Amino acid sequence: MNLLYYLRDRWKVALLLLVCLGAFVIILLLYRIQAEALGYGLLVAGIALFIGFLLDFTRYRHRSENLNAAKAKIPYELDLPAPASQKEREYQQLIRALFEEYRKLDNQSRKSQRETQDYYSLWVHQIKVPISAMDLLLQTHPGPDTPALQGELFKVRRYVEMVLSYLRLESTTTDYVIRRCELDKIVRQGVRKFASLFILSQVKLEFTPTQLRVLTDEKWLGFAIEQLLSNAVKYTKAGGTVRIYAKSELILVVEDTGIGIAPEDLPRIWDKGFTGLNGRMDQKSTGLGLYLCRRVLTNLGHSIQIFSQPGKGTRVEVDLKQKELWVE
């Protein structure tokens, strides 16, 4: 590959040398130089040209290797080889100036991102205090509206947890612990957490134990399943049903009889901030839930698919097979 690039870069020089050599041969022929002398001269010239091009190609390949090594260090370091000409020196000065500007902007961006994460992390932890206080007040001073208020408070708590999960996913460090886990245990934890919301919404839940063990992170897979349960109960009307079961080996299904998803919205449901027709109609969607769900599952080596028909319901299939994961 280096040889092809070299020939492409040096073809003008090679063509000029061939033209000069051809002109030299024609002149010698016009002066009727003996063929033996002409052949000897061409041989010497050819050997000189070959050695020259071989040395030039060696330097070219060495510089290409240095440039590739420098490219591998970007954006952490800019280590360019020594310039071979004044024009190359000027280009390198321009590249270094651009790199310094990039480093400056990158540092500012990272600092701003850290400050934003610190602020929202602090906000999340602080908001948990009044949420817990309101929950305690509702338990100690029950009234006719207590169940409805507890349901709304549960939603607030879910949104706070979503913010915290989003911040963790955007962080450069993760806390994944990959090991063999009981899938039914993870699902039951989510079901218990959403039990009161199912009761309040008058939505029936049918859970068929899967008896599966999966290689995953228990906490983050639980977060993804909880998000699917949240969407299912949110968009299923009273009297509807949410079913959880295993379709086949290592495929978990969360199916509901809710309002479904418009066909034109399906390709974009994974986009961050996309709420779709349902979200715009009832103002219930944040546009982050499915985005975070897919990111988590992708990070865990799993995959997810959604099938839906408006007015008939939605079926979510989570393929829990994974690749290139480590076991604790």
Side-chain angles (χ1 to χ4, degrees), residues 201-268:
S201 302
Q202 299 180 16
V203 175
K204 182 181 178 182
L205 176 66
E206 296 180 0
F207 170 49
T208 303
T210 64
Q211 307 297 330
L212 294 176
R213 287 175 57 84
V214 295
L215 185 62
T216 189
D217 179 279
E218 181 176 349
K219 182 186 73 173
W220 283 105
L221 178 60
F223 168 80
I225 292 175
E226 289 173 9
Q227 183 56 50
L228 298 179
L229 290 174
S230 175
N231 283 358
V233 70
K234 182 190 302 182
Y235 295 112
T236 300
K237 297 180 180 179
T241 304
V242 175
R243 299 181 180 89
I244 307 174
Y245 58 93
K247 178 181 177 182
S248 61
E249 184 180 0
L250 294 181
I251 295 182
L252 180 69
V253 178
V254 179
E255 187 177 40
D256 64 63
T257 58
I259 60 177
I261 303 172
E264 61 270 19
D265 288 343
L266 278 174
R268 298 185 57 195

Side-chain angles (χ1 to χ4, degrees), residues 91-158:
Y91 276 121
Q92 288 193 6
Q93 291 175 352
L94 177 61
I95 291 172
R96 287 193 174 90
L98 292 174
F99 183 75
E100 289 301 321
E101 184 65 20
Y102 159 77
R103 291 290 296 270
K104 179 180 177 181
L105 294 175
D106 184 60
N107 290 334
Q108 292 176 352
S109 176
R110 289 176 182 272
K111 180 180 178 181
S112 176
Q113 185 179 17
R114 285 195 301 268
E115 291 176 350
T116 301
Q117 289 181 347
D118 292 342
Y119 171 78
Y120 282 107
S121 296
L122 179 62
W123 177 85
V124 166
H125 291 293
Q126 288 180 335
I127 202 67
K128 286 182 177 181
V129 177
I131 289 176
S132 299
M134 285 187 287
D135 191 24
L136 182 61
L137 287 172
L138 289 174
Q139 293 179 23
T140 56
H141 298 81
D145 296 328
T146 296
L149 291 174
Q150 287 179 332
E152 296 302 318
L153 190 60
F154 176 82
K155 295 176 184 178
V156 173
R157 186 181 289 110
R158 281 290 302 160

Side-chain angles (χ1 to χ4, degrees), residues 4-65:
L4 293 177
Y5 289 147
Y6 174 78
L7 293 176
R8 187 184 64 183
D9 290 342
R10 296 290 193 271
W11 71 271
K12 292 182 179 180
V13 176
L15 181 61
L16 179 61
L17 289 175
L18 288 176
V19 170
C20 293
L21 187 60
F24 176 71
V25 170
I26 292 173
I27 292 173
L28 292 180
L29 289 175
L30 291 176
Y31 278 93
R32 299 182 179 180
I33 301 298
Q34 294 182 358
E36 182 179 356
L38 180 60
Y40 180 75
L42 289 175
L43 178 63
V44 173
I47 293 174
L49 288 174
F50 176 77
I51 294 175
F53 273 102
L54 182 62
L55 293 175
D56 187 55
F57 174 71
T58 302
R59 289 193 297 268
Y60 180 90
R61 186 177 62 179
H62 181 67
R63 290 183 60 80
S64 297
E65 292 173 351

